[in-house]
Amino acid sequence: MDRMDMDKRRGEPEGCLVAAIRLPVRIVALVVVVPVRLVWDALVVSGRFLYEKALVPLGRGLGLLLGAVLVWPFVMLGRALAWLCRVLIAIPARWLYAHVLTPLGHGLVWLTRTLIVVPAVWMYSQVLVPLGRAVLTGLRWLGLALFVWPWVALWRYVLTPLGHGLAWLGRVLVVIPLAWLGRVLVVIPLTWLWTYVLAPVGRALALAAAGLGRGLATLLRWVFVVPLVALWRYVLAPLGRALRIAGRETWDALVIAWRIAGRISRAVGRFLGRLLRWTFVEPARWTYRTVLTPLGHAVRDHVWRPAARIGREVRASVRQARAEVRRALFGARKRPAHATEPLVGDRREPHSAQARTLGSSTTPLTKTDIH
């Protein structure tokens, strides 16, 4: 979005003010932004390293620790409580509901239906409904005869003719004379007053108000509107346009300086990386490959392997001499027929001694069979 706006602004015509502001503002922005961008990139790299190498493992460890300390005991407790509730409450309640409460409820429902509902329904449909209908019909006819029909006859044959006669007398004796008097005494004078007095006076007042309004409008226009328009057109609008150009150029300069600072920071980071690589990593790698590895191979081939071979030969010679001394002092040890004599040059240790019996001893100096 910023690049599109900058491309559109580049296509617009530029004046001397824009050209005079742009270069100093970009130089100052570049000088100010480059250190900030370097510090920002260093903080980002440090924070990412700290987050990936320290905070994430620490968070995982704390999560596992909190889970082991706080979550799993409650989980196991909840499972134990659930098992106890199931064994002590749910299974007995289910058995009680299925084998006791359900048959008892079915029996109560059957008894209630047989003893109460069926007789009540028969009583309602066969006795109470016909009786209620007969009572309501009698009450309806009685109410009509006592309250409705007399009042209807009175209204139709007495009050209606009397009201018509009184209305005719009132119209002839009262309404027509009052209408003639109102027209002669009120309507005709008011019409003359409006036509020959109020209407001319209203027109004169309207003309006077219109002239006064035009004068006040002209006065207000020259006192307030014209100075304000001139202030806006010749002072505020150019000042706002200059401030807008300065702000736009400052923002563009900051954006460009931020991008340039990013490239400078990337180049500095690559330079430092290569410097560390050629200063420490490559010499260490070369030392390991060309010095330490051949030296280790030489030590392994010419020192450790001959030393190990000599040690094995010495150990075999010692074993053989010890065996010969034992045979010379105590005689050859008897072995079962199926047992085999270990080789002198065998690398393995001699077999472990047999378990103690009544006719033998486990002491090396007295290990002889007792006959």
Side-chain angles (χ1 to χ4, degrees), residues 24-353:
V25 168
R26 290 187 178 181
I27 293 173
V28 173
L30 183 61
V31 172
V32 173
V33 170
V34 168
V36 176
R37 183 60 186 266
L38 292 175
V39 174
W40 174 259
D41 291 339
L43 291 176
V44 168
V45 173
S46 302
R48 187 178 302 168
F49 177 79
L50 181 63
Y51 175 77
E52 294 178 354
K53 302 300 180 181
L55 295 181
V56 172
L58 181 61
R60 291 176 181 174
L62 290 177
L64 294 175
L65 180 61
L66 292 177
V69 173
L70 300 178
V71 177
W72 280 106
F74 292 102
V75 171
M76 299 305 294
L77 181 61
R79 290 179 180 176
L81 291 176
W83 182 79
L84 289 176
C85 291
R86 180 175 177 273
V87 172
L88 298 179
I89 298 175
I91 294 176
R94 188 184 302 170
W95 181 87
L96 180 64
Y97 175 78
H99 296 86
V100 178
L101 296 179
T102 301
L104 182 61
H106 290 172
L108 292 176
V109 169
W110 181 81
L111 288 176
T112 304
R113 182 175 179 275
T114 304
L115 299 178
I116 298 175
V117 177
V118 174
V121 170
W122 181 86
M123 179 67 71
Y124 176 77
S125 60
Q126 302 296 329
V127 178
L128 295 179
V129 172
L131 181 62
R133 289 177 181 174
V135 171
L136 288 176
T137 303
L139 292 175
R140 179 173 175 272
W141 285 103
L142 182 62
L144 290 175
L146 294 178
F147 297 102
V148 178
W149 291 341
W151 293 104
V152 171
L154 179 63
W155 172 264
R156 183 177 296 175
Y157 300 108
V158 178
L159 296 178
T160 300
L162 181 61
H164 289 172
L166 292 175
W168 182 80
L169 288 176
R171 185 170 64 84
V172 172
L173 298 177
V174 178
V175 175
I176 294 175
L178 289 177
W180 182 80
L181 288 175
R183 182 175 182 277
V184 172
L185 297 178
V186 178
V187 175
I188 294 175
L190 289 177
T191 303
W192 181 85
L193 179 64
W194 172 261
T195 304
Y196 296 103
V197 178
L198 296 178
V201 172
R203 293 191 187 95
L205 292 176
L207 292 175
L212 182 61
R214 293 192 185 94
L216 289 176
T218 304
L219 180 62
L220 293 174
R221 179 174 179 271
W222 286 102
V223 172
F224 295 102
V225 177
V226 173
L228 290 176
V229 170
L231 178 64
W232 171 261
R233 182 176 298 175
Y234 299 107
V235 178
L236 297 180
L239 182 61
R241 196 177 297 114
L243 293 176
R244 182 174 63 86
I245 293 173
R248 185 187 66 187
E249 293 299 327
T250 304
W251 177 256
D252 293 342
L254 289 175
V255 171
I256 295 173
W258 185 260
R259 293 176 181 174
I260 295 174
R263 295 182 180 179
I264 294 174
S265 176
R266 187 183 303 170
V268 170
R270 290 178 179 176
F271 172 74
L272 292 177
R274 291 182 179 179
L275 181 62
L276 292 175
R277 178 185 175 189
W278 290 106
T279 304
F280 297 101
V281 178
E282 291 297 333
R285 185 183 299 175
W286 179 85
T287 304
Y288 177 78
R289 288 182 179 178
T290 59
V291 178
L292 297 179
T293 300
L295 182 61
H297 291 172
V299 170
R300 182 192 63 187
D301 295 336
H302 297 87
V303 177
W304 291 113
R305 287 181 179 177
R309 189 181 304 110
I310 293 171
R312 287 193 298 270
E313 293 177 356
V314 170
R315 187 165 58 251
S317 301
V318 171
R319 287 177 183 174
Q320 186 176 1
R322 186 175 60 186
E324 292 177 354
V325 170
R326 186 182 296 115
R327 282 196 300 270
L329 293 176
F330 304 103
R333 186 172 56 182
K334 295 181 178 181
R335 292 182 177 273
H338 61 274
T340 58
E341 187 72 20
L343 297 176
V344 177
D346 194 0
R347 295 182 182 179
R348 295 176 297 175
E349 293 291 335
H351 296 284
S352 60

Side-chain angles (χ1 to χ4, degrees), residues 4-18:
M4 295 176 61
D5 294 339
M6 292 175 65
D7 294 337
K8 290 181 180 179
R9 292 168 186 172
R10 290 195 188 102
E12 297 178 357
E14 299 179 351
C16 59
L17 181 61
V18 176

Side-chain angles (χ1 to χ4, degrees), residues 350-362:
H351 296 284
S352 60
Q354 297 179 355
R356 175 182 292 181
T357 59
L358 294 176
S360 63
S361 175
T362 57

